[in-house]
Amino acid sequence: MKILLLLFFFLNVGVQCAFSAFELRGIGAREMLFGSSAVALKNSLWSISFNPGGLSLLVGTQTSVSYAPQRFGLKEVSSSSLALATPFEFGTIAASVHRYGYEAYNELSSSLSFAKNFTSIALGIAVHYNTLSILRYGNDATLGIDVGILAFASENVSVGFSATNINAPTIAQKKERLPQLFSIGVSYHPMNVFTVAVGAEKDVRYKISPNVAIEYFPIDELALRVGVSDEPTLFNGGLGISIHSITLDYTSSSHQVLGLTHYITVTMRM
């Protein structure tokens, strides 16, 4: 019965909201709040999913765990992720693993990324090995390639662009095409304690999805964040707490149809 209910969820509600395989990334609580404008963030480990070019500005080795325990209130569609990145003289290398689903429907993506900073612009590439497993239907796998650019218009303004699955990968017997996304964003830091970012994401199949997000640090150890997106409509709120080399990020995202999703991320800097 549970499987039938979940299939109804994917086929009925999922179609209404335009979800498809490997579309619900759910990676990085802070980045999920920023939405498409996350492509313009600097020093973000989870750029590995939103804009690999942003990895080039990481300071020191970082590792992070991210978890969404109940997507839209359903524990069967939870997501979890693990990432590690290390900067070298020749560039930054990062790896991640992301799982979404449950025993009857499971998406698993293993990623390897490389980014290089060229002073006023940073370039990055990510290769994802995506595997799909559906109970009684078998398994399949495919490769996806992302590219990203992060440019620095000034000390306080950065502009990001990313293209997801530029190789147009397909998966399963019906050759379902993985989402091809083009995102652009701008972040502005008028003060060290304040960031505002705007962005837009275009899936080749659907309308443009714009968003705006604001981050404020009342004290060095605490970040307060709000954001809103359209197509679909999402209202996001969250915070970040830093203690020495560890940062805990939390985001609550409210979908106009499906309800709340909670994201939790713990990042350690070494």
Side-chain angles (χ1 to χ4, degrees), residues 130-145:
N130 305 301
T131 61
L132 175 64
S133 177
I134 303 177
L135 186 65
R136 299 188 183 94
Y137 286 90
N139 309 315
D140 201 6
T142 188
L143 283 177
I145 300 174

Side-chain angles (χ1 to χ4, degrees), residues 23-27 32 49-50 71 79 98 164 181 201:
E23 186 166 2
L24 295 172
R25 290 176 289 184
I27 299 176
M32 292 302 296
S49 177
F50 292 86
R71 299 296 300 262
S79 66
H98 173 61
T164 301
L181 307 175
E201 182 178 86

Side-chain angles (χ1 to χ4, degrees), residues 101-153:
Y102 71 121
E103 62 271 14
Y105 179 93
N106 185 45
E107 297 177 4
L108 183 66
S109 295
S110 302
S111 305
L112 185 64
S113 301
F114 175 76
K116 176 71 174 177
N117 186 15
F118 297 94
T119 307
S120 62
I121 191 170
L123 305 177
I125 184 170
V127 178
H128 308 279
Y129 181 69
N130 305 301
T131 61
L132 175 64
S133 177
I134 303 177
L135 186 65
R136 299 188 183 94
Y137 286 90
N139 309 315
D140 201 6
T142 188
L143 283 177
I145 300 174
D146 304 345
V147 294
I149 300 172
L150 186 63
F152 313 108

Side-chain angles (χ1 to χ4, degrees), residues 66-90:
S66 190
Y67 185 48
Q70 295 187 18
R71 299 296 300 262
F72 319 119
L74 293 171
K75 66 180 181 179
E76 288 81 9
V77 286
S78 65
S79 66
S80 55
S81 309
L82 172 66
L84 172 67
T86 301
F88 298 93
E89 291 185 5
F90 57 84

Side-chain angles (χ1 to χ4, degrees), residues 171-189:
I171 199 166
Q173 292 182 351
K174 292 186 177 180
K175 300 298 180 183
E176 180 182 0
R177 179 169 291 185
L178 271 62
Q180 281 189 290
L181 307 175
F182 298 91
S183 303
I184 188 169
V186 179
S187 65
Y188 176 49
H189 318 276

